[in-house]
Amino acid sequence: MSNTVAIVDDHNLFAKSLQNLVNSFEEFEVSGLYKNGQELVEFFGANRPKPDIVLLDIKMPVMDGPSTMAWLKENYPDQKVLALTMEDDEETIFRMVKLGCRGYLLKDIDPDEFRYALKQVIYEGYYYTDAVSEAIENQGKAKPFENLSAREVEFLSLACTEMTYKQVAAKMNLSPKTIDGYRESLFNKLNVRSRIGLVLFAIKHKIYLL
């Protein structure tokens, strides 16, 4: 008997292609397609047989992945859910896992690995990639810019522009001497030695977006 899979994704073409892929696995078959979390909630409320696995996208209209996951955690905590998305930031990964997601997959996953992930969730209960493990581990660590003041973050953002330090001082209504103090403080806190180092740090940690 095949394990049933529900697909929750608002991209119709992708969802149907995914349906064909899942149905090609002898151990699995798709039991339903849903365009957002609200449609899945309505299905669950109809007291029909629940799927063995829910494949859940993150960004969807009406009711997104995290909201759906929160609802499932409260109402059907034993439901196995695999996130399948393009969102690969650590905060989203950690949030979904914290809400009870049994695994987190990116949509460019190899079909063989995808099949293996489905089987792992059925037989072992979880399938965590290195990215998930790293996200969980990193959430316990302080972010390197958490100890920066609001004014230091503002200075850091302006330092990424073409402004001179004198122009940055004028923009922030501060003296050049105070700006020099911010710069030296950031050099020490962030362990960098130049303005280029400040810029690279700001871009890496999305304080300044290109």
Side-chain angles (χ1 to χ4, degrees):
M1 184 177 178
S2 296
N3 298 290
T4 55
V5 177
I7 297 173
V8 188
D9 195 299
D10 62 315
H11 292 94
N12 191 42
L13 183 62
F14 174 80
K16 289 186 175 180
S17 296
L18 182 61
Q19 179 182 27
N20 291 334
L21 176 63
V22 172
N23 286 339
S24 73
F25 303 151
E26 60 181 3
E27 309 94 338
F28 299 95
E29 66 176 348
V30 173
S31 59
L33 299 177
Y34 308 92
K35 294 180 181 178
N36 53 62
Q38 184 60 43
E39 289 191 2
L40 183 73
V41 168
E42 292 171 359
F43 169 80
F44 270 65
N47 287 323
R48 297 172 62 187
K50 306 300 183 288
D52 294 303
I53 297 178
V54 172
L55 290 175
L56 186 63
D57 194 10
I58 299 298
K59 287 191 175 181
M60 297 178 291
V62 185
M63 190 173 185
D64 64 10
S67 298
T68 306
M69 197 66 239
W71 184 87
L72 288 170
K73 181 180 181 180
E74 181 176 350
N75 295 278
Y76 297 91
D78 294 329
Q79 175 64 56
K80 295 180 174 69
V81 181
L82 263 174
L84 183 61
T85 179
M86 294 298 295
E87 309 303 313
D88 62 351
D89 61 284
E90 289 187 349
E91 290 186 8
T92 300
I93 295 172
F94 181 75
R95 183 183 180 190
M96 291 294 287
V97 171
K98 190 175 180 181
L99 287 170
C101 203
R102 304 299 185 92
Y104 197 100
L105 309 175
L106 297 181
K107 288 183 176 179
D108 62 355
I109 188 172
D110 180 83
D112 289 337
E113 184 180 355
F114 175 57
R115 181 181 185 180
Y116 178 73
L118 291 174
K119 292 170 68 174
Q120 283 294 104
V121 169
I122 289 294
Y123 301 117
E124 301 295 333
Y126 297 89
Y127 177 74
Y128 285 160
T129 60
D130 291 342
V132 172
S133 300
E134 186 176 342
I136 294 173
E137 179 181 352
N138 288 342
Q139 283 295 321
K141 301 177 182 177
K143 291 185 172 67
F145 54 87
E146 283 182 345
N147 63 338
L148 303 186
S149 68
R151 290 295 262 173
E152 285 176 328
V153 172
E154 182 183 359
F155 166 76
L156 184 54
S157 296
L158 293 173
C160 295
T161 69
E162 295 181 357
M163 291 183 184
T164 64
Y165 284 132
K166 185 176 181 179
Q167 290 171 326
V168 170
K171 178 74 174 179
M172 296 181 66
N173 294 316
L174 297 172
S175 69
K177 186 176 181 180
T178 301
I179 288 298
D180 287 344
Y182 280 152
R183 181 186 64 216
E184 294 305 316
S185 175
L186 287 173
F187 281 174
N188 291 326
K189 288 183 177 181
L190 306 181
N191 194 29
V192 299
R193 298 181 180 180
S194 67
R195 185 168 182 171
I196 293 176
L198 292 177
V199 172
L200 291 176
F201 178 91
I203 293 173
K204 178 180 178 181
H205 295 283
K206 298 181 181 181
I207 295 174
Y208 180 79
L209 300 178
L210 294 173

